[in-house]
Amino acid sequence: MKTTTCAELKELLSSGALVIDVMTPEDYAACHLAGAQNACIYEMVFLDRIAELVPDRNTELILYDATGSRLTAEVARDRLLQAGYRNVSVLEGGLAALKAAGLPVETGTDPCPEAGVAHGSYSIDKEKSSLEWIGRNLNNRHHGTIDVQGGELVMSDGRLVSGSIVLDMTSIQNRDLQDPYWLELLVRHLKSEDFFAVERFPTASFRLTRWEPESTGAPEAPEGTAIGELTIRGVTRPVGFPAIVAPQEDGSIKAHAHLDIDRTLWDAGYGSGKLFERLGMHLVHDLVTLELFVLAVKK
């Protein structure tokens, strides 16, 4: 990959080279090299924007991103080469290197705020949080939702350290069946002793006991592994699954997790091929997919 240093940049600018900031318009507005143009590589109109700025494909282009440590500028360079631009390089170290080298930058009057997380407890907003489920058999798949009843996330030093979430199992809904008869029949089936016995166990819960961060995750949406205990039908078992916990500019926290569980481990055994024989059309896959979306606000 062809690269350009900050020292080389000064000379190239004097010879007519054009510098392109390939980050978001918000980042560009907050801080950019004086004289640089903006074309965000994340937008579908990236090449259209470049064509407006640089109609001559022989123009020397120098691209930069935030730090040069990710693929942002490199991918932009590849797109431009594929589009017929002949002389494209990537600035080593990105905007961070520009500032360190003392090159002139322009900043906005209202730069993008850095998202941060205050120490303490955050209440889960049950109206803006949800759990979606998917169940499958040999012939079909069904999906639906379960309401979040409440819970909290606890942060320390910008990291998730503990938390809990409670689900209202009486709220199980199906979202794919259109016929009222089959819809009511399936929901009643799921709430029955065959599956989740919600009359006896009206709630399910997850208690987070440990968070293991993934060092390569994006700073604005840190990835990691949530480890804790999942309780369904009164049975509690350890689980671990990948998750993202992202601070928001307004001080709230968004989290997302996706996991598959073997329902039979929580005594929901209906139609399981490892528990029953000659099931025929009544065979139901043991794995259930759960996808959790959480919004939590400071207490």
Side-chain angles (χ1 to χ4, degrees):
M1 182 181 67
K2 183 180 177 183
T3 61
T4 296
T5 66
C6 288
E8 295 168 334
L9 176 63
K10 297 176 182 179
E11 183 176 343
L12 292 171
L13 287 174
S14 64
S15 64
L18 183 63
V19 180
I20 305 291
D21 180 316
V22 299
M23 295 182 289
T24 66
E26 294 80 13
D27 284 329
Y28 175 80
C31 183
H32 61 267
L33 175 70
Q37 299 294 322
N38 178 234
C40 178
I41 182 58
Y42 306 132
E43 296 178 349
M44 293 180 63
V45 295
F46 171 68
L47 289 177
D48 296 330
R49 172 66 173 155
I50 291 290
E52 293 175 1
L53 293 171
V54 196
D56 183 358
R57 283 172 166 73
N58 291 311
T59 303
E60 183 163 9
L61 299 177
I62 303 162
L63 314 179
Y64 74 83
D65 53 25
T67 63
S69 62
R70 299 295 175 97
L71 296 177
T72 310
E74 182 179 342
V75 168
R77 177 180 179 271
D78 290 344
R79 296 287 187 274
L80 291 178
L81 291 175
Q82 292 167 7
Y85 288 87
R86 299 172 180 84
N87 196 357
V88 188
S89 65
V90 171
L91 182 70
E92 295 179 4
L95 181 61
L98 287 172
K99 295 196 289 190
L103 289 167
V105 295
E106 297 176 352
T107 57
T109 56
D110 185 22
C112 294
E114 292 291 331
V117 175
H119 176 86
S121 297
Y122 290 72
S123 295
I124 292 176
D125 187 330
K126 64 182 183 180
E127 302 300 328
K128 297 182 179 179
S129 302
S130 63
L131 181 132
E132 299 179 5
W133 59 265
I134 300 174
R136 306 168 181 88
N137 58 34
L138 287 175
N139 302 308
N140 208 341
R141 64 189 289 276
H142 295 296
H143 66 271
T145 60
I146 300 174
D147 290 347
V148 173
Q149 191 174 91
E152 69 171 358
L153 301 178
V154 180
M155 309 296 294
S156 178
D157 297 326
R159 281 188 178 182
L160 178 65
V161 293
S162 64
S164 62
I165 186 166
V166 179
L167 302 173
D168 178 7
M169 298 302 288
T170 67
S171 70
I172 294 175
Q173 291 294 325
N174 168 268
R175 300 299 186 193
D176 60 272
L177 291 175
Q178 301 301 314
D179 185 283
Y181 171 79
W182 292 109
L183 174 62
E184 190 276 334
L185 189 66
L186 176 61
V187 170
R188 180 155 46 91
H189 192 26
L190 293 173
K191 291 181 177 182
S192 74
E193 293 290 330
D194 289 335
F195 284 97
F196 299 109
V198 300
E199 188 172 333
R200 291 193 295 127
F201 305 102
T203 63
S205 62
F206 171 71
R207 184 173 72 88
L208 178 74
T209 57
R210 192 166 82 255
W211 169 262
E212 295 182 352
E214 173 59 59
S215 59
T216 60
E220 64 268 29
E223 298 182 25
T225 301
I227 298 172
E229 298 175 336
L230 179 62
T231 300
I232 303 173
R233 285 185 61 128
V235 177
T236 300
R237 292 189 179 275
V239 293
F241 49 88
I244 296 174
V245 179
Q248 303 299 294
E249 292 179 1
D250 63 0
S252 64
I253 297 172
K254 286 187 176 180
H256 172 254
H258 172 278
L259 68 152
D260 290 324
I261 63 169
D262 181 343
R263 60 189 173 85
T264 67
L265 298 177
W266 284 269
D267 293 346
Y270 177 88
S272 170
K274 67 184 179 185
L275 300 179
F276 303 98
E277 59 186 354
R278 300 185 62 80
L279 285 162
M281 64 177 291
H282 304 289
L283 176 67
V284 179
H285 295 338
D286 294 338
L287 290 184
V288 174
T289 297
L290 304 178
E291 189 163 12
L292 181 65
F293 299 88
V294 167
L295 174 67
V297 295
K298 191 76 171 67
K299 288 186 177 180

